[in-house]
Amino acid sequence: EDQVTQSPEALRLQEGESSSLNCSYTVSGLRGLFWYRQDPGKGPEFLFTLYSAGEEKEKERLKATLTKKESFLHITAPKPEDSATYLCAVVRNTGGFKTIFGAGTRLFVKA
Amino acid sequence: DAGVIQSPRHEVTEMGQEVTLRCKPISGHDYLFWYRQTMMRGLELLIYFNNNVPIDDSGMPEDRFSAKMPNASFSTLKIQPSEPRDSAVYFCASSLLAAYNSPLHFGNGTRLTVT
């Protein structure tokens, strides 16, 4: 069965305290892995797409990496405005294409 | 661009009533998706359309749910009759290309409460 598991469920950091979020997956026919950010009361907002093991993408304080079994979202020197829920999603080929989301990691960054 | 527009933002209704959620995708996007988000189950894909044609509705919970896309700029998700377990945030999303090739652009959702 296809699964996308994110850990930890919640993460509390002090401003400037770097850390990583994990997304592990067991999906057949993986076509891509996406990271989204979701703020309260809003829809998810796209951050990164990764397609192959070894690939890395960066944006400001965020860097996403991908292996054959998992992806990491590294947050360097976070600020309070980085507080949000971070969602991982994988796209697999089912004859059509289906996106499966993980449950997310809620990040709290305290000033 | 205004992004994906959903209405209403909040809907409170009584069990048994019909509920219609509306979505206007980003102009030029060929794919439209309806998702449901709950604390217990996270984001679940209900149905998606390509060029106004339903492609995969395997996520639609039961016959009480139906979705239409009469043209490229409008889609509806209808629940009839509604039940308390339908309470959730419903998101519409659109994308330019097939899901693996381009990201999903989400609206801000409709929070549905069925009492």
Side-chain angles (χ1 to χ4, degrees), chain A residues 34 36 38 41 43 46 51 97, chain B residues 9 37 48 91 100 103-104 107:
Chain A
F34 292 74
Y36 291 84
Q38 186 174 21
F46 169 72
Y51 291 109
F97 295 99
Chain B
R9 285 300 313 273
Q37 187 175 42
Y48 81 90
F91 286 103
Y100 72 95
L104 300 173

Side-chain angles (χ1 to χ4, degrees), chain B residues 21-40:
Chain B
L21 311 182
R22 296 172 175 81
C23 175
K24 176 179 169 56
I26 293 174
S27 177
H29 281 194
D30 289 338
Y31 291 79
L32 183 138
F33 305 80
W34 282 100
Y35 280 87
R36 178 171 68 178
Q37 187 175 42
T38 61
M39 288 294 292
M40 290 296 294

